[in-house]
Amino acid sequence: MAAGPLLLLLLLLLGAAGPGAAAAAAAGPGPGLGPGAALREELLLRPLPAGDVAAAFQFRTRWDADLRRGAVSHYRLFPKALGQLVAAQGVRELHLALTQGFWRTRSWGQPPLGAPAGAELWVWFQDTVPDVDKAWKELSNILSGIFCASLNFIDSTNTVTPTASFKPLGLANGTDHRLLRYAVLPREVVCTENLTPWKKLLPCGSKAGLAVLLKAERLFHSSYHSQAVHIRPICRDASCLAVSWELRQTLTVVFDSFTSGQGKKDWSLFKMFSRTLTDACPLASESKVYVDISPKNEEKEFLEVTPTPTSVHEAVVQGDKRTYAVYDLLSPSLFNSSRSLNVQLKWKRPQDSQELSTPVLHAQRYVSGYGLQTGEISTLVHNTHPYRAFPVVLLETVPWYLRLYVHTLTVITKGKENKPSYIHYQPAQDRKRPHLLEMLIQLPANSVTKITIQFERALLKWTEYTPDPNHGFYVSPSVLSALVPSVVAMKDVDVEESPLFASLFPSSDGSSYFVRLYTEPLLVNLPTPDFSMPYNVICLTCTVVAVCYGSFYNLLTRTFHVEEPSRGGLAKRLANIIQNLERVCNLQSLPVMRRAGVKNEGH
Amino acid sequence: MGNGAKLPVPLTVLSSSEADAALHALQDASPGSLTVYVVPESSSLLPQGTNVYVGKHRSALVRAGQGLAALRARLQQLTRVMSFTASSIAAALADRVPDGQLGPDARRHLKSSLGYEITFSLLNPDPKSHDVDWDIEGAVNRYVQPVLDKLSVVANFSVDSQILYYAVLGVTPRFDKESSSFLLSAHSLPHVINPVEARLGSSAASLYPVLNFLLYVPERSHSPLYIQDKDGAPVPTNAFHSPRWGGIMVWGPGSASLPLHVDVDMVRVMEVFLAQLRLLFGISREELPPEFQVESPGNEGLADWELDRLLWAHTVENIATVATTLTSLAQLLDQISNIVIKDDVASEVYRAVASVQDAMAELAEGRLRSAFQASKEAVTSSERAFFDPSLLHLLYFPDDQKPLEIPLPGPCIFFIPACL
């Protein structure tokens, strides 16, 4: 067992003590905020190949305080709801993401901050928490109330404790995995009622600064919408003697050129958000808009931005050298010429000549098989780096009603078997726990790795089916975490000086960067009973009983009477028929009366 | 004074407050008790014109008066002030009395609860032009914490504060030309609270009721801002409170426009908030005749006898709550046959009944502290029993599981005798 690369990878994935390690003075707080709180906001606009544009907002509040239990807390910029939650439940780190849509890694590149479709919540608790499961349940219920999302459906059937994929992103004193909980609800839908409480947590609300652009009717008219909240402890300064709390609220949205842009590929803030920027949030110490104008294929410029940016910033982000045009909303010269800022992007060359640059790591997952008894889950992981191999940790969470057969697990690369160096498998318990499968796989350069595992579908109890069982059951997306080698060497970034989008994941080594990818969720049909059967049974039974009852009743109450053969013409026969009918009707309405004797009147 | 202790200084030399403090050292004042010292009519212990001096502990000094009848009248009035009356007990039970029988002042005081959360919020609707700063932490430690320490017998308190930006009042104030200031009239005040409350946030950490104290710094275009009472005169403290919710104060130092950097004077603000806290709890004082003089409680915020009055009211309210809860549970059991009572729920009910009986017995003896503790335990047990989730396990037991075949052959039964 190759413990070497495993330990190296796990140590590098840890990377936790590093965020503030580079020496620099922290950015001073804004005026009048008092000591110990700072707000930074930024917007990153990134044109994607094929004419779409991705906009990523980040709002970061740093609070120099210690959220201990029982201490009286005085909140200024940090929202009181989240601060009380962290203090009361003993949370060390909290990450919640609500996403609608799927980030197409192959066509769009690596996401700035990945998130799986649906709702994802993972939390590291403090080691002083006595009962982690109870705290997890209370936490998910309280968050469900704060964000108006159905996070209260998180219970033991969809919660797992991963051992290698998730490491603390903030300060950590050792990592005991029993303090980590991870859950995904793939069926969760995100809409305006989730956006509104998210916006309420911002200090300026949606009244000033970059948040004025967040209008729901445009944000949800997009291919991909993801909003997230990340809370973690960080070093207060370079010496790391005291702890600050950082709250990052991020929102990523991808506008489709066909649905929003009416086919034209020129973008502007007004076209995307139907608003323009008028000022910065008065409480923010930094408020910037970054536009990605990196040239591709050695061209000088392929994108023109108006108005003229305040400055140009170059950085190495996710292994690529990129150039950004920066608009600083706090600089007085920006709003001199016009009261509002409407950043416009115009393409200089026609779009179709853009080549798609495939990202180094991307993956797909699908279900194959036939019938409703068995099936197979296959994951394809692509490593497109020409000469570097690197390991990747794959985490799969499969619900208990798809019974995995671990002996059928195969990992095949380039036709040969590729044995994972670390496998952690926790089998499911019916109605209690899902399957958890974590593997560390080495991906050779320029290869496709196929991981397959077979499963059998279980039959649920009739009360456990959802109201729409023929829609199918969701399997949560799998998580791939890797340290991807970068083509360009990266400098150590200082959190306070660099843009926010570059500093979420700490990187302790200049030659690789951390990537977390999510695959598609799967939709699997389970053998579904015919729910109309009880109705059918009742109908059939009632019919049979009615027929029996009818015969029995007839037998008990039928009376016989002699009838003279009818003599006479048609009129007489008609009169007979009518009299017979009358007799039958009378007989039915007075069942107990006997009619004896011979028929008579009129003949 | 029957315990034979000696005072260090003869009483006639001291002022009334010093005398009260000295006497307090000699007596053992258990909660709920009241000690009255009767001094001769001509004594100089009480200042001229004062016949009754109410101390801040559980004692009072009364002048003997011209005869026994006058003394009796004074003592009756004194007990009405310092201890509970029929009306104060009726106010405590106001939630259980049907509407028509109560005056307009009923249901004003906070309901008895095991804990309260107090939140101080500073509302700044215009952070661009004002930069407001308040030293809330120091103010809470200096002014609020002593009061809460005194009240800790009654309930658990926790204090929070926050600053909300871009929070506006829902009402547009009217500009008044004569005073060249903006005015909020008394009838528009109820509409102020609702839009603000959406921003205040509910507490994620606990289930206790929240008391909100808001300080609003008006924007530059609407300053100075004053609150008008019903007669049209500006309220001196520029604040109002809403029963069972909290209080709002408008910051207006009186100058024409607020400077760029506003330093809030916490003493003024805390005076108002603490007065509102007393009003919310019902520790307010009624009008007293001029011959009464009441000693100020100082930093602690309330006198011992005021605390006792609160405890009497809360004990009675707790006992009434327990009675109502258990009666409702019994009535529910009669109506719905599907409710499951497990053993632990049953033991909670027994414990609640036992605690209530204890509380009533202690109240009859006059031991206030233990009666209050017993009533708190009774409330906890009865709530735990009533709101236990296991009660409803079988409530929706589906009826289609019961056999269906019985009704169908029913009509056949009528015909069998008909055949015979």
Side-chain angles (χ1 to χ4, degrees):
Chain A
M1 172 127 138
L6 161 70
L7 285 178
L8 189 65
L9 177 69
L10 293 182
L11 274 174
L12 291 175
L13 282 178
L14 187 68
L33 296 172
L39 169 69
R40 284 173 64 185
E41 49 178 25
E42 76 173 32
L43 163 62
L44 167 66
L45 293 172
R46 193 163 100 184
L48 303 170
D52 305 333
V53 69
F57 292 83
Q58 266 206 50
F59 301 89
R60 174 192 181 238
T61 307
R62 199 194 78 218
W63 189 34
D64 296 333
D66 200 359
L67 285 170
R68 279 188 315 259
R69 276 194 204 219
V72 174
S73 304
H74 301 280
Y75 300 93
R76 287 172 194 270
L77 292 181
F78 204 92
K80 180 163 83 92
L82 291 182
Q84 280 180 331
L85 183 66
V86 167
Q89 302 298 329
V91 167
R92 196 171 69 199
E93 254 187 57
L94 185 144
H95 302 270
L96 169 67
L98 295 166
T99 311
Q100 175 192 309
F102 181 66
W103 181 274
R104 305 195 173 100
T105 314
R106 268 181 63 191
S107 20
W108 295 343
Q110 303 285 6
L113 299 149
E120 181 202 37
L121 175 65
W122 58 281
V123 175
W124 279 95
F125 286 93
Q126 309 268 7
D127 47 9
T128 53
V129 170
D131 186 351
V132 178
D133 287 317
K134 184 158 165 280
W136 170 251
K137 192 165 167 62
E138 277 185 24
L139 180 76
S140 50
N141 279 294
I142 295 176
L143 282 175
S144 146
I146 294 178
F147 290 100
C148 298
S150 323
L151 300 174
N152 52 326
F153 283 115
I154 292 180
D155 55 9
S156 66
T157 58
N158 43 30
T159 307
V160 291
T161 305
T163 53
S165 301
F166 288 92
K167 295 288 175 185
L169 289 178
L171 287 182
N173 251 352
T175 54
D176 182 1
H177 282 277
R178 285 171 303 193
L179 299 171
L180 169 67
R181 294 288 184 272
Y182 173 80
V184 174
L185 294 172
R187 218 181 157 148
E188 187 65 23
V189 170
V190 184
C191 57
T192 316
E193 66 175 16
N194 305 116
L195 182 66
T196 310
W198 187 93
K199 280 198 291 189
K200 241 173 45 167
L201 296 174
L202 298 171
C204 276
S206 49
K207 304 274 175 52
L210 292 176
V212 297
L213 297 175
L214 299 175
K215 290 296 165 195
E217 69 263 8
R218 301 296 299 172
L219 284 181
F220 288 101
H221 198 60
S222 57
S223 325
Y224 175 82
H225 172 102
S226 168
Q227 61 196 54
V229 171
H230 303 278
I231 302 178
R232 60 179 181 173
I234 55 172
C235 287
R236 199 173 292 193
D237 50 20
S239 60
C240 215
L241 290 168
V243 167
S244 295
W245 283 86
E246 181 194 74
L247 164 70
R248 276 187 197 233
Q249 287 180 254
T250 66
L251 192 139
T252 310
V253 63
V254 173
F255 291 103
D256 192 345
S257 57
F258 287 105
T259 54
S260 339
Q262 289 100 37
K264 296 200 209 91
K265 305 229 172 74
D266 288 338
W267 291 103
S268 72
L269 280 185
F270 188 78
K271 210 164 162 195
M272 288 192 272
F273 302 105
S274 70
R275 295 282 186 293
T276 54
L277 293 168
T278 47
D279 57 1
C281 177
L283 308 162
S285 59
E286 207 182 286
S287 181
K288 291 190 175 151
V289 178
Y290 289 87
V291 183
D292 187 344
I293 51 174
S294 319
K296 295 205 175 24
N297 304 331
E298 314 295 334
E299 293 162 5
K300 285 290 170 195
E301 266 179 13
F302 76 116
L303 185 66
E304 184 192 317
V305 282
T306 50
T308 337
T310 330
S311 62
V312 173
H313 177 87
E314 288 198 3
V316 180
V317 171
Q318 288 179 341
D320 266 340
K321 207 194 229 6
R322 297 205 190 195
T323 316
Y324 296 96
V326 183
Y327 295 88
D328 188 353
L329 292 172
L330 287 174
S331 83
S333 60
L334 192 66
F335 292 109
N336 267 349
S337 46
S338 68
R339 300 254 326 267
S340 71
L341 171 67
N342 183 16
V343 176
Q344 285 169 345
L345 296 91
K346 283 200 194 39
W347 301 99
K348 278 207 169 139
R349 297 177 48 101
Q351 266 301 286
D352 306 323
S353 64
Q354 291 292 322
E355 283 157 20
L356 304 173
S357 57
T358 40
V360 177
L361 174 69
H362 62 275
Q364 305 151 260
R365 193 170 70 150
Y366 53 90
V367 169
S368 51
Y370 59 90
L372 285 176
Q373 187 172 359
T374 53
E376 185 179 73
I377 298 181
S378 312
T379 312
L380 292 174
V381 184
H382 300 252
N383 174 4
T384 57
H385 201 283
Y387 51 87
R388 292 284 299 274
F390 55 89
V392 69
V393 179
L394 172 69
L395 168 73
E396 292 230 14
T397 310
V398 178
W400 64 266
Y401 39 81
L402 301 179
R403 301 183 211 264
L404 295 180
Y405 290 116
V406 179
H407 73 279
T408 58
L409 173 69
T410 56
V411 183
I412 295 184
T413 311
K414 288 184 184 165
K416 288 190 307 218
E417 201 192 317
N418 181 356
K419 205 161 141 52
S421 47
Y422 169 76
I423 300 187
H424 170 69
Y425 175 65
Q426 198 181 44
Q429 274 182 328
D430 274 10
R431 298 175 183 89
K432 285 210 197 94
R433 212 170 60 188
H435 294 278
L436 171 68
L437 180 62
E438 267 185 290
M439 294 184 283
L440 177 67
I441 304 171
Q442 183 79 6
L443 301 177
N446 209 10
S447 66
V448 178
T449 307
K450 184 167 175 185
I451 302 139
T452 57
I453 184 166
Q454 289 179 4
F455 64 88
E456 185 185 68
R457 303 170 210 229
L459 188 65
L460 300 177
K461 293 185 188 169
W462 71 290
T463 47
E464 288 174 349
Y465 285 96
T466 52
D468 52 350
N470 289 301
H471 177 76
F473 288 77
Y474 282 92
V475 179
S476 347
S478 36
V479 187
L480 292 129
S481 323
L483 275 174
V484 177
S486 70
V487 178
V488 181
M490 297 185 306
K491 290 193 300 277
D492 214 359
V493 289
D494 169 37
V495 179
E496 302 298 332
E497 305 273 309
S498 66
L500 290 175
F501 56 83
S503 61
L504 180 59
F505 292 116
S507 72
S508 49
D509 180 2
S511 66
S512 55
Y513 59 95
F514 179 73
V515 159
R516 185 170 284 142
L517 278 188
Y518 295 88
T519 60
E520 303 90 334
L522 300 175
L523 195 55
V524 172
N525 265 18
L526 287 185
T528 311
D530 185 359
F531 288 105
S532 62
M533 277 316 287
Y535 163 74
N536 293 341
V537 165
I538 290 176
C539 278
L540 186 66
T541 316
C542 289
T543 310
V544 166
V545 169
V547 167
C548 290
Y549 166 63
S551 316
F552 195 54
Y553 170 72
N554 230 355
L555 208 62
L556 289 178
T557 58
R558 194 197 320 243
T559 61
F560 293 98
H561 60 273
V562 179
E563 194 172 302
E564 296 297 318
S566 65
R567 279 175 269 109
L570 181 65
K572 284 263 173 60
R573 277 205 217 126
L574 270 178
N576 266 347
I577 290 171
I578 291 173
Q579 273 189 339
N580 286 345
L581 277 176
E582 277 175 2
R583 202 178 298 135
V584 166
C585 289
N586 286 341
L587 194 64
Q588 277 189 346
S589 62
L590 299 168
V592 199
M593 216 157 78
R594 283 181 175 250
R595 303 216 8 174
V598 170
K599 150 181 130 54
N600 48 30
E601 312 85 24
H603 290 283
Chain B
M1 294 170 273
N3 52 7
K6 292 198 46 106
L7 284 172
V9 177
L11 262 182
T12 44
V13 184
L14 301 169
S15 76
S16 26
S17 55
E18 289 165 353
D20 183 58
L23 288 169
H24 172 70
L26 289 179
Q27 66 196 203
D28 59 340
S30 60
S33 70
L34 201 57
T35 314
V36 180
Y37 300 101
V38 182
V39 297
E41 177 68 22
S42 54
S43 161
S44 60
L45 197 55
L46 293 170
Q48 202 66 295
T50 309
N51 289 335
V52 179
Y53 179 82
V54 177
K56 66 176 176 182
H57 302 289
R58 297 180 173 96
S59 55
L61 302 167
V62 177
R63 239 186 248 276
Q66 299 302 346
L68 270 183
L71 179 62
R72 193 161 151 249
R74 282 192 196 140
L75 287 177
Q76 266 182 343
Q77 213 170 11
L78 178 66
T79 44
R80 238 176 286 144
V81 166
M82 284 182 81
S83 183
F84 60 89
T85 60
S87 58
S88 72
I89 299 294
L93 295 172
D95 277 341
R96 286 173 184 81
V97 172
D99 244 339
Q101 301 176 13
L102 298 170
D105 278 341
R107 297 204 183 114
R108 297 185 69 85
H109 305 147
L110 287 170
K111 286 213 254 202
S112 157
S113 159
L114 292 169
Y116 298 92
E117 259 202 41
I118 300 187
T119 305
F120 293 99
S121 310
L122 174 65
L123 302 178
N124 184 357
D126 197 2
K128 230 169 149 180
S129 37
H130 300 322
D131 167 27
V132 191
D133 206 8
W134 69 346
D135 175 25
I136 185 67
E137 209 162 346
V140 163
N141 286 337
R142 265 199 306 276
Y143 304 114
V144 179
Q145 202 57 41
V147 178
L148 295 184
D149 287 339
K150 190 90 193 260
L151 279 173
S152 61
V153 184
V154 179
N156 295 332
F157 284 90
S158 66
V159 182
D160 268 310
S161 81
Q162 59 180 342
I163 302 187
L164 295 176
Y165 300 96
Y166 291 102
V168 291
L169 298 181
V171 176
T172 319
R174 212 174 30 91
F175 184 68
D176 182 37
K177 278 202 194 54
E178 296 136 17
S179 51
S180 70
S181 60
F182 287 86
L183 296 174
L184 274 178
S185 55
H187 65 83
S188 64
L189 291 178
H191 306 293
V192 164
I193 295 182
N194 253 347
V196 169
E197 187 149 14
R199 293 286 310 269
L200 290 176
S202 53
S203 159
S206 74
L207 298 167
Y208 295 146
V210 180
L211 300 178
N212 293 298
F213 292 102
L214 271 54
L215 178 66
Y216 181 72
V217 178
E219 40 211 348
R220 195 175 275 273
S221 53
H222 280 150
S223 65
L225 181 62
Y226 296 112
I227 298 182
Q228 259 183 338
D229 61 13
K230 286 200 211 26
D231 309 318
V235 172
T237 50
N238 222 11
F240 69 98
H241 82 278
S242 173
R244 294 194 176 175
W245 183 81
I248 299 186
M249 178 174 174
V250 177
W251 179 255
S255 59
S257 67
L258 292 174
L260 199 54
H261 184 92
V262 179
D263 251 332
V264 176
D265 181 10
M266 292 314 294
V267 177
R268 246 184 79 195
V269 168
M270 279 301 155
E271 271 176 2
V272 174
F273 283 157
L274 286 177
Q276 285 178 340
L277 185 70
R278 284 177 55 115
L279 284 170
L280 285 169
F281 271 105
I283 316 175
S284 57
R285 249 172 250 154
E286 310 98 16
E287 275 298 316
L288 293 171
E291 57 179 12
F292 273 67
Q293 187 186 350
V294 181
E295 185 180 347
S296 141
N299 216 15
E300 288 183 327
L302 67 160
D304 283 347
W305 52 271
E306 288 175 319
L307 184 63
D308 286 347
R309 280 188 72 160
L310 193 60
L311 283 180
W312 291 114
H314 277 201
T315 311
V316 170
E317 196 182 330
N318 283 349
I319 294 176
T321 309
V322 172
T324 316
T325 310
L326 293 178
T327 319
S328 308
L329 185 58
Q331 280 174 348
L332 266 181
L333 278 174
D334 283 336
Q335 286 170 5
I336 305 176
S337 55
N338 263 347
I339 291 188
V340 175
I341 300 279
K342 300 210 299 214
D343 283 338
D344 45 353
V345 173
S347 66
E348 292 288 340
V349 173
Y350 285 132
R351 201 178 312 151
V353 172
S355 300
V356 163
Q357 284 167 343
D358 271 344
M360 305 269 285
E362 300 283 329
L363 271 186
E365 300 287 317
R367 287 192 283 268
L368 181 57
R369 184 69 61 96
S370 42
F372 182 68
Q373 293 296 339
S375 71
K376 269 207 303 200
E377 280 168 23
V379 166
T380 316
S381 297
S382 70
E383 300 276 310
R384 229 181 280 150
F386 190 73
F387 288 110
D388 194 281
S390 70
L391 255 64
L392 299 174
H393 268 165
L394 290 178
L395 192 62
Y396 294 110
F397 188 66
D399 274 340
D400 59 358
Q401 304 288 326
K402 300 189 182 127
L404 273 177
E405 298 85 48
I406 298 174
L408 287 174
C412 291
I413 298 175
F414 288 112
F415 298 101
I416 295 172
C419 305
L420 298 171

